[in-house]
Amino acid sequence: MKIALLSDIHSNLEAFHAVKNSIGTHGADKIIFIGDVVGYGANPNECIELLRGMTDIMVAGNHDFAAVGKTDISYFNPNARDALLWTTHELTRENTLFLSSLPLHGVMDDIFFVHSTPYHPELWDYVLSMAAAVRSFADCPTPLCFIGHSHSPVIFVKDRANKISAEMTSTIPVKKDVRYIINIGSVGQPRDGNPLSSYGLYDTETRKYTLIRVPYDMQTAQQKILAAGLPRFLAERLSLGH
Ligand code: ZN
């Protein structure tokens, strides 16, 4: 079975369409969404509606819950907060209820999905340090876990000797008796210095994971952000990829 994994769409409909087309080209039996469909970009309702029609499992991100009052927005930076207030106002009643209903994590067979960390996902911590990786491996109920949230792809590996390493590779064989926490990057606002959209593909038969990067109509996404009156920085950062 082929699984496509996407995260951090952030209301970027142009990036989402490009990723959807790419998934269609590669072929996927299941599509999993790992949080943050809204926030930052100009098409929250359109992205939610497209996602709902194509996804098998969906979990909540911090922006999804903040947009519907389920997470405090005071800890967000001013640009993120402005975009969240705008998003809250834009969301249809149905989409507000839908975001409110999302779970914090999902499981399929022996694969775990969570936006932030396997431990206390509602704290919205980031797996950016070895300390966070150690804690995340300890609390992950399955050998393989997919996450988002930082918008930077990385693969944490815990080997048979319990040694943890961070790999920046875009493809990896998923070995038995080895544990993995894989950040799949962001569809709508990559921050690893590469502005191309990012998503993951995992084949449960060949046990191969691959990170895919996809170009999209960035100019249109940027123009929509400016036309909506959202912070200019949110348009500019798309070109920078951080
Ligand atoms: Zn995000």
Side-chain angles (χ1 to χ4, degrees), residues 8 10 36 63 115 149 151:
D8 297 277
H10 285 299
D36 276 2
H63 287 253
H115 185 66
H149 197 33
H151 300 203

Side-chain angles (χ1 to χ4, degrees), residues 125-157:
D125 282 354
Y126 292 88
V127 189
L128 292 174
S129 66
M130 275 301 159
V134 168
R135 202 173 163 196
S136 294
F137 275 117
D139 274 27
C140 188
T142 61
L144 177 59
C145 172
F146 289 100
I147 62 171
H149 197 33
S150 73
H151 300 203
S152 290
V154 60
I155 302 173
F156 290 97
V157 183

